[in-house]
Amino acid sequence: MVEKNRLFTPGPTSMFAHTLEIGSSQLPYNRTDQFSQITLEIIDGLKYVFGTQEDVVIFSSSGTGAMEAAVINFLNKNDRVLIINGGTFGERWVELCTVHGIPYDEMKLEPGQSPLLENLDYKLSNKKYSALLINAHETSTGVLYDTKAIGRITHKYNILFIVDAISTICADTFLMDKWHVDVAVLSSQKALALPPGISFLALNQNAKEKLKEKTSRSYYFDISEYLDNQDRGQMPFTPAIGIFMMLHERLQNIQELGIESAITQHIKISNHFREGIKKLSFSIFPNTPSNALTSIKCHKGINAFELVKKLSEDFNCIVAPCAGDLKQDVFRVSHSGDQSFKDVNFLLYAIKNCLKQYSPNTNIKKSKEG
Ligand SMILES: *Cc1c(COP(=O)(O)O)cnc(C)c1O
């Protein structure tokens, strides 16, 4: 038997057996009443996971497509945007605003740190900014920002609040309407545990008002087109039908059990892993980690990037390295998808075994051929 390939990456995440089953079926034709019905049920399910009563549109793209749709549809050259940039995904907002000529300032953070709310309040209080862009969970370091508290500030100053919630929804509590989030984006391959390829954008009335000022053009990412077609359960273009069918089942399951159950599962798995990894004298990198992911800081003498490679080569455990300056010191383990305590225990066992091959202050010794 082929040894199990254990996926502990933030996306893709390991898919549930039900999802895999649906993935092996023929596709239905999408221009039918039955498919419209499925689409409407999906939209209801998505509203539930976003925590909104308002609209959600669906794109056939990875998460970055939905981020770009947010920039194109809700921002223009007359805006001035503040971007909280705490890593790779904050940087993505910066790059998107640059490409589309949206004026912006950055609030750069130390990796793994959250923005200081007093600083943010002060920056937004002078009315210079019309929108704030954040990544609720900055997946590159595993830090979870306090979106609820930030939403109170943007609400106070009447600033459009656009949140990349891609790697937090279904893992941590996220309540779009209650937290005054105007636009939120999500994609299929994180805590929803589906293949990559579809992304979602939720928008409220404030955002719809902003839609009227739209100046930049995009044929595919024109949100008004999606909203127009959606009333009858259709989409302007062929959706990723296969992933739609899997999503339909996942959302039904999440709704039946309650989203709290998905979040509780993440809490249990992440706590179990964190207890174990601390016993191996690693430390947790961010101050306020998401339940979706643990970023682990290696102690002296252990090279994080080498460890990631060894876990894959010797144990078929796929964890994620960090980019840039963190690459040698920090690695990331996801808690999303089909994971059990047994899988986590195996990963901890694998890490422990890799450690045996280190001695203090040296690089890893050559691995035994096996
Ligand atoms: C995964 C992720 C994205 C989207 O990346 P894609 O590769 O385009 O799907 C965006 N933001 C965050 C915070 C993410 O974790």
Side-chain angles (χ1 to χ4, degrees), residues 232-286:
R232 57 189 179 94
Q234 283 290 324
M235 304 194 44
F237 316 108
T238 313
I241 299 172
I243 311 177
F244 249 57
M245 303 313 287
M246 300 178 195
L247 173 65
H248 187 236
E249 190 275 336
R250 275 294 286 144
L251 289 171
Q252 276 181 340
N253 185 258
I254 292 169
Q255 281 170 292
E256 268 163 33
L257 300 175
I259 194 161
E260 300 76 22
S261 154
I263 296 168
T264 304
Q265 168 70 7
H266 278 86
I267 294 172
K268 279 187 190 156
I269 292 283
S270 61
N271 281 347
H272 185 67
F273 176 75
R274 284 167 195 171
E275 275 162 29
I277 199 77
K278 282 186 210 155
K279 278 190 198 135
L280 298 175
S281 50
F282 287 89
S283 53
I284 312 293
F285 181 63

Side-chain angles (χ1 to χ4, degrees), residues 62-64 67 89 92 135 137 139 164 166-167 187 189-190:
S62 80
T64 307
M67 292 173 78
F89 293 104
R92 193 157 302 178
N135 316 85
H137 169 209
T139 324
D164 164 1
I166 290 176
S167 59
S187 69
Q189 82 275 27
K190 304 284 166 85

